Amino acid sequence: MAKSGVVEGNPPTATAAKASELKRELQRLVKAILSEEDINVDAIDKTHQTLFALKDLKLNNKRPFSFNTLPFPDEFRCPLSKELMRDPVIVSTGQTYDRPFIQKWLKAGNRTCPRTQQVLSHTILTPNHLIWEMISQWCKNNGIQMPEHSVQYLNDEGLTEADRDLFFSLLEKMSSSTLSDQKVAARELRLLTKKMPSFRALFGESADAIPQLVRPLSRSNSNFLHPNLQEDIITTLLNLSIHDNNKKLVAKTPKVIPLLVDALRSGTIETRSNAAAALFTLSALDSNKELIGKSGALKPLIELLDEGNPVAMKDVASALFSLCIIHDNKARAVRDGAVRAILKKIMSNVHVDELLAILAMLSNNQKAVEEMGDLGAVPCLLNIIRETTCARSKENCIAVLYTICYCDRTKWKTIRDEEKTYGTISQLAQNGTARAKRKANGILDRLNRAVNLTHTA
């Protein structure tokens, strides 16, 4: 197998071994499908993939092929390069691109999403681990060697000695006892770390750099802290956290996470929004998710969401979504009032699509499901399914309703009445995404069984 990712014709012994392995996997999957009462959709999907791989092995073992000789799912294709993605990343609109191509787009000065044309609220690129795993599995099933999952940066700015001298001079001023010196230095560092990625990397070269940056915040009472100084320091932390190599360093630096949590509650709205954005960026690492969750950041994030300031809403929603990926943070978010705050905004038609994604994520928490039922989520979600044109929102709505339906029989009547009047669930079972169809059919099956049991009785 060539290192370039191109597979030459497999030797007969290797082909036979691969075919035997695929057949054994196929037997296991078919047995699993036939032995289970309910339909195992995941097993059916894997069976399809295995059959495809077996067919491909038969047809292609005598000729070379590469990434693009096989038709691959559209969600694996970068919208910019039109090729299979090697390093998928998510931009602020939720769209996924291959890192080198979206970096090139951003480096050219573009600040819109190429696919949706929406203005990007920030230029942070978050690795799409789910798509990466799916691509890796697809390549494995088709006998294609993926290149190493390496992050590529398009930073070609070089640092001169003068740049380094300026950097250390500015850090020194941050330790000054004079407020004017601190303000000038903080503003300069904010601008430099925004414009020059190489300056972000400099913070990783000195163990004292980040502690020096946040020193004015560490030794000041927030009631007497100059708002512009706080804003510039928090925004610089945001700029630093964009650099992947800095994420662990920033989060592990003592006082940084507590200072970001404090900033969520105080200062200008831009300070609070940028603190939320910094927490979102840092939470790209699972170890940081746990650290941030334990720091008490979820409650002020939820409070900021509840306030509803449009400047901060996107960043807060992004941070909550990322943090709630891990189980412990879901429980913390529910305990801190996330369900009530999110439903309140959804019912007010504020950032519905983004907040539905968080609600769906929280719906595997028993307490969250109980709260949703008590707060009138069922009619609200049914109404959204009827009125929205967003397939992803419909999918998230039906996912939440599916969980409520299975946990709370008292809501069946509302769902059944909706189905009789509008056929909402049936329509989604026919026209929704694959996941939405599964959930909708699950609800309909549940309701039909209940009716049949009643008739039998």
PDB file of all heavy atoms in Angstrom, residues 159 164 167-168 171 193 196-213 236-237 239-241 243-251 253:
ATOM      1  N   LEU A 159       8.821  35.981  12.777  1.00  0.00           N
ATOM      2  CA  LEU A 159       9.020  36.917  13.889  1.00  0.00           C
ATOM      3  C   LEU A 159      10.457  37.407  13.893  1.00  0.00           C
ATOM      4  O   LEU A 159      11.387  36.594  13.821  1.00  0.00           O
ATOM      5  CB  LEU A 159       8.708  36.226  15.217  1.00  0.00           C
ATOM      6  CG  LEU A 159       7.243  36.081  15.588  1.00  0.00           C
ATOM      7  CD1 LEU A 159       7.115  35.245  16.843  1.00  0.00           C
ATOM      8  CD2 LEU A 159       6.584  37.426  15.792  1.00  0.00           C
ATOM      9  N   ARG A 164       9.990  40.114  19.084  1.00  0.00           N
ATOM     10  CA  ARG A 164      10.146  39.457  20.379  1.00  0.00           C
ATOM     11  C   ARG A 164      10.414  40.476  21.486  1.00  0.00           C
ATOM     12  O   ARG A 164       9.870  40.361  22.593  1.00  0.00           O
ATOM     13  CB  ARG A 164      11.280  38.431  20.324  1.00  0.00           C
ATOM     14  CG  ARG A 164      10.939  37.227  19.463  1.00  0.00           C
ATOM     15  CD  ARG A 164      12.084  36.219  19.411  1.00  0.00           C
ATOM     16  NE  ARG A 164      11.709  35.071  18.593  1.00  0.00           N
ATOM     17  CZ  ARG A 164      11.033  34.026  19.031  1.00  0.00           C
ATOM     18  NH1 ARG A 164      10.672  33.961  20.307  1.00  0.00           N
ATOM     19  NH2 ARG A 164      10.722  33.030  18.231  1.00  0.00           N
ATOM     20  N   PHE A 167       7.199  42.095  22.353  1.00  0.00           N
ATOM     21  CA  PHE A 167       6.362  41.163  23.116  1.00  0.00           C
ATOM     22  C   PHE A 167       6.724  41.204  24.605  1.00  0.00           C
ATOM     23  O   PHE A 167       5.854  41.378  25.464  1.00  0.00           O
ATOM     24  CB  PHE A 167       6.545  39.754  22.541  1.00  0.00           C
ATOM     25  CG  PHE A 167       5.888  38.663  23.337  1.00  0.00           C
ATOM     26  CD1 PHE A 167       4.511  38.520  23.355  1.00  0.00           C
ATOM     27  CD2 PHE A 167       6.657  37.759  24.074  1.00  0.00           C
ATOM     28  CE1 PHE A 167       3.906  37.499  24.080  1.00  0.00           C
ATOM     29  CE2 PHE A 167       6.056  36.738  24.801  1.00  0.00           C
ATOM     30  CZ  PHE A 167       4.679  36.611  24.798  1.00  0.00           C
ATOM     31  N   PHE A 168       8.002  41.045  24.924  1.00  0.00           N
ATOM     32  CA  PHE A 168       8.418  41.008  26.325  1.00  0.00           C
ATOM     33  C   PHE A 168       8.284  42.375  26.997  1.00  0.00           C
ATOM     34  O   PHE A 168       8.002  42.464  28.193  1.00  0.00           O
ATOM     35  CB  PHE A 168       9.857  40.493  26.436  1.00  0.00           C
ATOM     36  CG  PHE A 168       9.972  39.026  26.129  1.00  0.00           C
ATOM     37  CD1 PHE A 168      10.615  38.573  24.974  1.00  0.00           C
ATOM     38  CD2 PHE A 168       9.407  38.088  26.979  1.00  0.00           C
ATOM     39  CE1 PHE A 168      10.692  37.219  24.696  1.00  0.00           C
ATOM     40  CE2 PHE A 168       9.482  36.719  26.707  1.00  0.00           C
ATOM     41  CZ  PHE A 168      10.130  36.294  25.557  1.00  0.00           C
ATOM     42  N   LEU A 171       4.595  42.686  27.966  1.00  0.00           N
ATOM     43  CA  LEU A 171       4.297  41.870  29.139  1.00  0.00           C
ATOM     44  C   LEU A 171       4.813  42.536  30.417  1.00  0.00           C
ATOM     45  O   LEU A 171       4.175  42.457  31.476  1.00  0.00           O
ATOM     46  CB  LEU A 171       4.921  40.483  28.998  1.00  0.00           C
ATOM     47  CG  LEU A 171       4.228  39.520  28.022  1.00  0.00           C
ATOM     48  CD1 LEU A 171       4.970  38.186  27.976  1.00  0.00           C
ATOM     49  CD2 LEU A 171       2.771  39.291  28.401  1.00  0.00           C
ATOM     50  N   THR A 193      -2.253  39.884  18.815  1.00  0.00           N
ATOM     51  CA  THR A 193      -2.687  38.476  18.810  1.00  0.00           C
ATOM     52  C   THR A 193      -3.875  38.256  17.883  1.00  0.00           C
ATOM     53  O   THR A 193      -4.156  37.117  17.486  1.00  0.00           O
ATOM     54  CB  THR A 193      -3.044  37.991  20.230  1.00  0.00           C
ATOM     55  OG1 THR A 193      -3.983  38.908  20.822  1.00  0.00           O
ATOM     56  CG2 THR A 193      -1.811  37.891  21.100  1.00  0.00           C
ATOM     57  N   MET A 196      -1.720  38.717  14.135  1.00  0.00           N
ATOM     58  CA  MET A 196      -0.550  37.887  13.848  1.00  0.00           C
ATOM     59  C   MET A 196      -0.596  36.576  14.634  1.00  0.00           C
ATOM     60  O   MET A 196      -0.333  36.559  15.839  1.00  0.00           O
ATOM     61  CB  MET A 196       0.736  38.654  14.177  1.00  0.00           C
ATOM     62  CG  MET A 196       0.934  39.896  13.320  1.00  0.00           C
ATOM     63  SD  MET A 196       2.438  40.798  13.777  1.00  0.00           S
ATOM     64  CE  MET A 196       3.702  39.604  13.312  1.00  0.00           C
ATOM     65  N   PRO A 197      -0.939  35.469  13.971  1.00  0.00           N
ATOM     66  CA  PRO A 197      -0.965  34.176  14.657  1.00  0.00           C
ATOM     67  C   PRO A 197       0.369  33.824  15.319  1.00  0.00           C
ATOM     68  O   PRO A 197       0.400  33.120  16.323  1.00  0.00           O
ATOM     69  CB  PRO A 197      -1.287  33.195  13.527  1.00  0.00           C
ATOM     70  CG  PRO A 197      -2.034  34.013  12.521  1.00  0.00           C
ATOM     71  CD  PRO A 197      -1.419  35.373  12.577  1.00  0.00           C
ATOM     72  N   SER A 198       1.470  34.324  14.747  1.00  0.00           N
ATOM     73  CA  SER A 198       2.784  34.023  15.321  1.00  0.00           C
ATOM     74  C   SER A 198       2.931  34.604  16.722  1.00  0.00           C
ATOM     75  O   SER A 198       3.659  34.061  17.556  1.00  0.00           O
ATOM     76  CB  SER A 198       3.894  34.561  14.410  1.00  0.00           C
ATOM     77  OG  SER A 198       3.614  35.881  14.000  1.00  0.00           O
ATOM     78  N   PHE A 199       2.232  35.709  17.009  1.00  0.00           N
ATOM     79  CA  PHE A 199       2.271  36.284  18.356  1.00  0.00           C
ATOM     80  C   PHE A 199       1.522  35.389  19.353  1.00  0.00           C
ATOM     81  O   PHE A 199       1.880  35.349  20.528  1.00  0.00           O
ATOM     82  CB  PHE A 199       1.673  37.700  18.360  1.00  0.00           C
ATOM     83  CG  PHE A 199       2.720  38.775  18.391  1.00  0.00           C
ATOM     84  CD1 PHE A 199       3.313  39.215  17.218  1.00  0.00           C
ATOM     85  CD2 PHE A 199       3.146  39.320  19.589  1.00  0.00           C
ATOM     86  CE1 PHE A 199       4.292  40.189  17.243  1.00  0.00           C
ATOM     87  CE2 PHE A 199       4.130  40.299  19.622  1.00  0.00           C
ATOM     88  CZ  PHE A 199       4.713  40.733  18.440  1.00  0.00           C
ATOM     89  N   ARG A 200       0.492  34.692  18.874  1.00  0.00           N
ATOM     90  CA  ARG A 200      -0.218  33.762  19.764  1.00  0.00           C
ATOM     91  C   ARG A 200       0.721  32.640  20.186  1.00  0.00           C
ATOM     92  O   ARG A 200       0.709  32.208  21.337  1.00  0.00           O
ATOM     93  CB  ARG A 200      -1.433  33.163  19.046  1.00  0.00           C
ATOM     94  CG  ARG A 200      -2.471  34.174  18.615  1.00  0.00           C
ATOM     95  CD  ARG A 200      -3.519  33.531  17.723  1.00  0.00           C
ATOM     96  NE  ARG A 200      -4.174  34.535  16.906  1.00  0.00           N
ATOM     97  CZ  ARG A 200      -4.796  34.291  15.778  1.00  0.00           C
ATOM     98  NH1 ARG A 200      -4.854  33.050  15.308  1.00  0.00           N
ATOM     99  NH2 ARG A 200      -5.357  35.253  15.079  1.00  0.00           N
ATOM    100  N   ALA A 201       1.529  32.170  19.218  1.00  0.00           N
ATOM    101  CA  ALA A 201       2.459  31.076  19.523  1.00  0.00           C
ATOM    102  C   ALA A 201       3.526  31.508  20.522  1.00  0.00           C
ATOM    103  O   ALA A 201       4.014  30.685  21.303  1.00  0.00           O
ATOM    104  CB  ALA A 201       3.112  30.589  18.234  1.00  0.00           C
ATOM    105  N   LEU A 202       3.872  32.791  20.528  1.00  0.00           N
ATOM    106  CA  LEU A 202       4.908  33.287  21.441  1.00  0.00           C
ATOM    107  C   LEU A 202       4.537  33.046  22.903  1.00  0.00           C
ATOM    108  O   LEU A 202       5.409  32.818  23.740  1.00  0.00           O
ATOM    109  CB  LEU A 202       5.130  34.791  21.229  1.00  0.00           C
ATOM    110  CG  LEU A 202       6.240  35.208  20.263  1.00  0.00           C
ATOM    111  CD1 LEU A 202       6.320  36.720  20.187  1.00  0.00           C
ATOM    112  CD2 LEU A 202       7.579  34.629  20.685  1.00  0.00           C
ATOM    113  N   PHE A 203       3.242  33.109  23.212  1.00  0.00           N
ATOM    114  CA  PHE A 203       2.812  32.910  24.601  1.00  0.00           C
ATOM    115  C   PHE A 203       3.122  31.500  25.089  1.00  0.00           C
ATOM    116  O   PHE A 203       3.245  31.268  26.274  1.00  0.00           O
ATOM    117  CB  PHE A 203       1.316  33.195  24.733  1.00  0.00           C
ATOM    118  CG  PHE A 203       1.004  34.658  24.911  1.00  0.00           C
ATOM    119  CD1 PHE A 203       0.875  35.496  23.810  1.00  0.00           C
ATOM    120  CD2 PHE A 203       0.836  35.202  26.174  1.00  0.00           C
ATOM    121  CE1 PHE A 203       0.587  36.838  23.974  1.00  0.00           C
ATOM    122  CE2 PHE A 203       0.543  36.551  26.347  1.00  0.00           C
ATOM    123  CZ  PHE A 203       0.427  37.368  25.245  1.00  0.00           C
ATOM    124  N   GLY A 204       3.229  30.568  24.138  1.00  0.00           N
ATOM    125  CA  GLY A 204       3.546  29.201  24.522  1.00  0.00           C
ATOM    126  C   GLY A 204       5.023  28.971  24.770  1.00  0.00           C
ATOM    127  O   GLY A 204       5.418  27.919  25.279  1.00  0.00           O
ATOM    128  N   GLU A 205       5.846  29.950  24.439  1.00  0.00           N
ATOM    129  CA  GLU A 205       7.299  29.793  24.589  1.00  0.00           C
ATOM    130  C   GLU A 205       7.804  30.267  25.942  1.00  0.00           C
ATOM    131  O   GLU A 205       8.964  30.044  26.283  1.00  0.00           O
ATOM    132  CB  GLU A 205       8.019  30.553  23.468  1.00  0.00           C
ATOM    133  CG  GLU A 205       7.724  30.000  22.076  1.00  0.00           C
ATOM    134  CD  GLU A 205       8.420  30.785  20.980  1.00  0.00           C
ATOM    135  OE1 GLU A 205       9.323  31.591  21.325  1.00  0.00           O
ATOM    136  OE2 GLU A 205       8.079  30.605  19.804  1.00  0.00           O
ATOM    137  N   SER A 206       6.962  30.947  26.693  1.00  0.00           N
ATOM    138  CA  SER A 206       7.385  31.473  27.997  1.00  0.00           C
ATOM    139  C   SER A 206       6.374  31.072  29.061  1.00  0.00           C
ATOM    140  O   SER A 206       5.172  31.359  28.927  1.00  0.00           O
ATOM    141  CB  SER A 206       7.511  33.004  27.936  1.00  0.00           C
ATOM    142  OG  SER A 206       7.684  33.539  29.224  1.00  0.00           O
ATOM    143  N   ALA A 207       6.845  30.421  30.103  1.00  0.00           N
ATOM    144  CA  ALA A 207       5.954  29.944  31.171  1.00  0.00           C
ATOM    145  C   ALA A 207       5.277  31.086  31.916  1.00  0.00           C
ATOM    146  O   ALA A 207       4.200  30.922  32.494  1.00  0.00           O
ATOM    147  CB  ALA A 207       6.740  29.078  32.148  1.00  0.00           C
ATOM    148  N   ASP A 208       5.901  32.262  31.910  1.00  0.00           N
ATOM    149  CA  ASP A 208       5.370  33.401  32.669  1.00  0.00           C
ATOM    150  C   ASP A 208       4.478  34.312  31.838  1.00  0.00           C
ATOM    151  O   ASP A 208       3.900  35.257  32.380  1.00  0.00           O
ATOM    152  CB  ASP A 208       6.534  34.242  33.234  1.00  0.00           C
ATOM    153  CG  ASP A 208       7.325  33.478  34.285  1.00  0.00           C
ATOM    154  OD1 ASP A 208       6.720  32.639  34.965  1.00  0.00           O
ATOM    155  OD2 ASP A 208       8.537  33.728  34.406  1.00  0.00           O
ATOM    156  N   ALA A 209       4.374  34.059  30.535  1.00  0.00           N
ATOM    157  CA  ALA A 209       3.691  35.016  29.655  1.00  0.00           C
ATOM    158  C   ALA A 209       2.214  35.185  30.017  1.00  0.00           C
ATOM    159  O   ALA A 209       1.733  36.317  30.187  1.00  0.00           O
ATOM    160  CB  ALA A 209       3.839  34.580  28.205  1.00  0.00           C
ATOM    161  N   ILE A 210       1.476  34.077  30.136  1.00  0.00           N
ATOM    162  CA  ILE A 210       0.041  34.184  30.422  1.00  0.00           C
ATOM    163  C   ILE A 210      -0.205  34.713  31.841  1.00  0.00           C
ATOM    164  O   ILE A 210      -1.065  35.583  32.037  1.00  0.00           O
ATOM    165  CB  ILE A 210      -0.676  32.842  30.165  1.00  0.00           C
ATOM    166  CG1 ILE A 210      -0.571  32.481  28.688  1.00  0.00           C
ATOM    167  CG2 ILE A 210      -2.146  32.918  30.588  1.00  0.00           C
ATOM    168  CD1 ILE A 210      -1.151  31.137  28.308  1.00  0.00           C
ATOM    169  N   PRO A 211       0.529  34.234  32.865  1.00  0.00           N
ATOM    170  CA  PRO A 211       0.371  34.844  34.192  1.00  0.00           C
ATOM    171  C   PRO A 211       0.622  36.344  34.199  1.00  0.00           C
ATOM    172  O   PRO A 211      -0.082  37.091  34.887  1.00  0.00           O
ATOM    173  CB  PRO A 211       1.412  34.107  35.042  1.00  0.00           C
ATOM    174  CG  PRO A 211       1.533  32.767  34.397  1.00  0.00           C
ATOM    175  CD  PRO A 211       1.403  33.038  32.925  1.00  0.00           C
ATOM    176  N   GLN A 212       1.600  36.797  33.409  1.00  0.00           N
ATOM    177  CA  GLN A 212       1.859  38.243  33.331  1.00  0.00           C
ATOM    178  C   GLN A 212       0.694  38.965  32.651  1.00  0.00           C
ATOM    179  O   GLN A 212       0.323  40.070  33.056  1.00  0.00           O
ATOM    180  CB  GLN A 212       3.154  38.502  32.556  1.00  0.00           C
ATOM    181  CG  GLN A 212       4.421  38.287  33.378  1.00  0.00           C
ATOM    182  CD  GLN A 212       5.668  38.619  32.568  1.00  0.00           C
ATOM    183  OE1 GLN A 212       6.144  37.802  31.784  1.00  0.00           O
ATOM    184  NE2 GLN A 212       6.184  39.822  32.754  1.00  0.00           N
ATOM    185  N   LEU A 213       0.147  38.351  31.628  1.00  0.00           N
ATOM    186  CA  LEU A 213      -0.983  38.968  30.912  1.00  0.00           C
ATOM    187  C   LEU A 213      -2.162  39.201  31.846  1.00  0.00           C
ATOM    188  O   LEU A 213      -2.781  40.275  31.820  1.00  0.00           O
ATOM    189  CB  LEU A 213      -1.400  38.063  29.749  1.00  0.00           C
ATOM    190  CG  LEU A 213      -2.706  38.436  29.037  1.00  0.00           C
ATOM    191  CD1 LEU A 213      -2.555  39.739  28.266  1.00  0.00           C
ATOM    192  CD2 LEU A 213      -3.167  37.300  28.111  1.00  0.00           C
ATOM    193  N   THR A 236      -7.734  39.060  24.520  1.00  0.00           N
ATOM    194  CA  THR A 236      -6.420  38.485  24.203  1.00  0.00           C
ATOM    195  C   THR A 236      -6.392  36.998  24.557  1.00  0.00           C
ATOM    196  O   THR A 236      -5.853  36.177  23.803  1.00  0.00           O
ATOM    197  CB  THR A 236      -5.298  39.232  24.954  1.00  0.00           C
ATOM    198  OG1 THR A 236      -5.342  40.622  24.607  1.00  0.00           O
ATOM    199  CG2 THR A 236      -3.923  38.679  24.584  1.00  0.00           C
ATOM    200  N   LEU A 237      -6.987  36.634  25.683  1.00  0.00           N
ATOM    201  CA  LEU A 237      -7.086  35.214  26.042  1.00  0.00           C
ATOM    202  C   LEU A 237      -7.870  34.441  24.980  1.00  0.00           C
ATOM    203  O   LEU A 237      -7.527  33.303  24.645  1.00  0.00           O
ATOM    204  CB  LEU A 237      -7.754  35.058  27.403  1.00  0.00           C
ATOM    205  CG  LEU A 237      -6.910  35.438  28.629  1.00  0.00           C
ATOM    206  CD1 LEU A 237      -7.769  35.414  29.893  1.00  0.00           C
ATOM    207  CD2 LEU A 237      -5.712  34.499  28.789  1.00  0.00           C
ATOM    208  N   ASN A 239      -8.039  35.275  21.791  1.00  0.00           N
ATOM    209  CA  ASN A 239      -7.149  35.162  20.632  1.00  0.00           C
ATOM    210  C   ASN A 239      -6.113  34.057  20.824  1.00  0.00           C
ATOM    211  O   ASN A 239      -5.798  33.309  19.897  1.00  0.00           O
ATOM    212  CB  ASN A 239      -6.444  36.500  20.375  1.00  0.00           C
ATOM    213  CG  ASN A 239      -7.406  37.608  19.978  1.00  0.00           C
ATOM    214  OD1 ASN A 239      -8.521  37.330  19.534  1.00  0.00           O
ATOM    215  ND2 ASN A 239      -6.995  38.849  20.142  1.00  0.00           N
ATOM    216  N   LEU A 240      -5.572  33.964  22.034  1.00  0.00           N
ATOM    217  CA  LEU A 240      -4.570  32.931  22.319  1.00  0.00           C
ATOM    218  C   LEU A 240      -5.163  31.540  22.199  1.00  0.00           C
ATOM    219  O   LEU A 240      -4.521  30.613  21.709  1.00  0.00           O
ATOM    220  CB  LEU A 240      -4.010  33.105  23.739  1.00  0.00           C
ATOM    221  CG  LEU A 240      -3.237  34.381  24.061  1.00  0.00           C
ATOM    222  CD1 LEU A 240      -2.701  34.317  25.482  1.00  0.00           C
ATOM    223  CD2 LEU A 240      -2.101  34.572  23.085  1.00  0.00           C
ATOM    224  N   SER A 241      -6.384  31.373  22.677  1.00  0.00           N
ATOM    225  CA  SER A 241      -6.987  30.038  22.724  1.00  0.00           C
ATOM    226  C   SER A 241      -7.343  29.516  21.338  1.00  0.00           C
ATOM    227  O   SER A 241      -7.600  28.321  21.171  1.00  0.00           O
ATOM    228  CB  SER A 241      -8.232  30.057  23.615  1.00  0.00           C
ATOM    229  OG  SER A 241      -9.222  30.904  23.076  1.00  0.00           O
ATOM    230  N   HIS A 243      -5.263  29.332  18.934  1.00  0.00           N
ATOM    231  CA  HIS A 243      -4.090  28.545  18.544  1.00  0.00           C
ATOM    232  C   HIS A 243      -4.157  27.186  19.244  1.00  0.00           C
ATOM    233  O   HIS A 243      -4.148  27.109  20.471  1.00  0.00           O
ATOM    234  CB  HIS A 243      -2.823  29.308  18.951  1.00  0.00           C
ATOM    235  CG  HIS A 243      -1.562  28.764  18.368  1.00  0.00           C
ATOM    236  ND1 HIS A 243      -1.228  28.919  17.046  1.00  0.00           N
ATOM    237  CD2 HIS A 243      -0.549  28.055  18.919  1.00  0.00           C
ATOM    238  CE1 HIS A 243      -0.059  28.344  16.819  1.00  0.00           C
ATOM    239  NE2 HIS A 243       0.366  27.803  17.943  1.00  0.00           N
ATOM    240  N   ASP A 244      -4.220  26.110  18.468  1.00  0.00           N
ATOM    241  CA  ASP A 244      -4.445  24.779  19.044  1.00  0.00           C
ATOM    242  C   ASP A 244      -3.421  24.401  20.110  1.00  0.00           C
ATOM    243  O   ASP A 244      -3.757  23.781  21.111  1.00  0.00           O
ATOM    244  CB  ASP A 244      -4.449  23.719  17.938  1.00  0.00           C
ATOM    245  CG  ASP A 244      -5.805  23.596  17.261  1.00  0.00           C
ATOM    246  OD1 ASP A 244      -6.686  24.402  17.594  1.00  0.00           O
ATOM    247  OD2 ASP A 244      -5.982  22.708  16.409  1.00  0.00           O
ATOM    248  N   ASN A 245      -2.176  24.775  19.884  1.00  0.00           N
ATOM    249  CA  ASN A 245      -1.128  24.412  20.845  1.00  0.00           C
ATOM    250  C   ASN A 245      -1.260  25.154  22.173  1.00  0.00           C
ATOM    251  O   ASN A 245      -0.607  24.789  23.156  1.00  0.00           O
ATOM    252  CB  ASN A 245       0.259  24.678  20.250  1.00  0.00           C
ATOM    253  CG  ASN A 245       0.573  23.726  19.117  1.00  0.00           C
ATOM    254  OD1 ASN A 245      -0.031  22.668  19.009  1.00  0.00           O
ATOM    255  ND2 ASN A 245       1.497  24.096  18.254  1.00  0.00           N
ATOM    256  N   ASN A 246      -2.081  26.210  22.192  1.00  0.00           N
ATOM    257  CA  ASN A 246      -2.250  27.001  23.420  1.00  0.00           C
ATOM    258  C   ASN A 246      -3.413  26.539  24.283  1.00  0.00           C
ATOM    259  O   ASN A 246      -3.534  26.960  25.434  1.00  0.00           O
ATOM    260  CB  ASN A 246      -2.474  28.481  23.081  1.00  0.00           C
ATOM    261  CG  ASN A 246      -1.196  29.184  22.647  1.00  0.00           C
ATOM    262  OD1 ASN A 246      -0.098  28.706  22.913  1.00  0.00           O
ATOM    263  ND2 ASN A 246      -1.340  30.316  21.977  1.00  0.00           N
ATOM    264  N   LYS A 247      -4.296  25.714  23.736  1.00  0.00           N
ATOM    265  CA  LYS A 247      -5.553  25.411  24.431  1.00  0.00           C
ATOM    266  C   LYS A 247      -5.321  24.827  25.821  1.00  0.00           C
ATOM    267  O   LYS A 247      -5.932  25.251  26.797  1.00  0.00           O
ATOM    268  CB  LYS A 247      -6.421  24.479  23.590  1.00  0.00           C
ATOM    269  CG  LYS A 247      -6.943  25.129  22.312  1.00  0.00           C
ATOM    270  CD  LYS A 247      -7.937  24.238  21.613  1.00  0.00           C
ATOM    271  CE  LYS A 247      -8.255  24.747  20.213  1.00  0.00           C
ATOM    272  NZ  LYS A 247      -8.811  26.085  20.187  1.00  0.00           N
ATOM    273  N   LYS A 248      -4.453  23.827  25.895  1.00  0.00           N
ATOM    274  CA  LYS A 248      -4.186  23.198  27.192  1.00  0.00           C
ATOM    275  C   LYS A 248      -3.437  24.165  28.100  1.00  0.00           C
ATOM    276  O   LYS A 248      -3.739  24.272  29.293  1.00  0.00           O
ATOM    277  CB  LYS A 248      -3.376  21.920  26.997  1.00  0.00           C
ATOM    278  CG  LYS A 248      -3.138  21.150  28.279  1.00  0.00           C
ATOM    279  CD  LYS A 248      -2.497  19.785  28.036  1.00  0.00           C
ATOM    280  CE  LYS A 248      -3.514  18.815  27.481  1.00  0.00           C
ATOM    281  NZ  LYS A 248      -2.982  17.430  27.413  1.00  0.00           N
ATOM    282  N   LEU A 249      -2.464  24.898  27.517  1.00  0.00           N
ATOM    283  CA  LEU A 249      -1.650  25.836  28.292  1.00  0.00           C
ATOM    284  C   LEU A 249      -2.513  26.921  28.939  1.00  0.00           C
ATOM    285  O   LEU A 249      -2.386  27.215  30.129  1.00  0.00           O
ATOM    286  CB  LEU A 249      -0.595  26.477  27.388  1.00  0.00           C
ATOM    287  CG  LEU A 249       0.283  27.562  28.006  1.00  0.00           C
ATOM    288  CD1 LEU A 249       1.177  26.972  29.076  1.00  0.00           C
ATOM    289  CD2 LEU A 249       1.108  28.250  26.931  1.00  0.00           C
ATOM    290  N   VAL A 250      -3.410  27.517  28.162  1.00  0.00           N
ATOM    291  CA  VAL A 250      -4.270  28.585  28.682  1.00  0.00           C
ATOM    292  C   VAL A 250      -5.173  28.045  29.790  1.00  0.00           C
ATOM    293  O   VAL A 250      -5.291  28.645  30.866  1.00  0.00           O
ATOM    294  CB  VAL A 250      -5.124  29.203  27.545  1.00  0.00           C
ATOM    295  CG1 VAL A 250      -6.151  30.181  28.111  1.00  0.00           C
ATOM    296  CG2 VAL A 250      -4.233  29.923  26.539  1.00  0.00           C
ATOM    297  N   ALA A 251      -5.815  26.902  29.534  1.00  0.00           N
ATOM    298  CA  ALA A 251      -6.766  26.357  30.515  1.00  0.00           C
ATOM    299  C   ALA A 251      -6.080  25.920  31.808  1.00  0.00           C
ATOM    300  O   ALA A 251      -6.663  26.046  32.898  1.00  0.00           O
ATOM    301  CB  ALA A 251      -7.513  25.177  29.905  1.00  0.00           C
ATOM    302  N   THR A 253      -3.337  27.208  33.100  1.00  0.00           N
ATOM    303  CA  THR A 253      -2.698  28.301  33.831  1.00  0.00           C
ATOM    304  C   THR A 253      -3.580  28.711  35.008  1.00  0.00           C
ATOM    305  O   THR A 253      -4.758  29.043  34.803  1.00  0.00           O
ATOM    306  CB  THR A 253      -2.461  29.526  32.917  1.00  0.00           C
ATOM    307  OG1 THR A 253      -1.606  29.136  31.843  1.00  0.00           O
ATOM    308  CG2 THR A 253      -1.811  30.667  33.689  1.00  0.00           C
TER     309      THR A 253
END
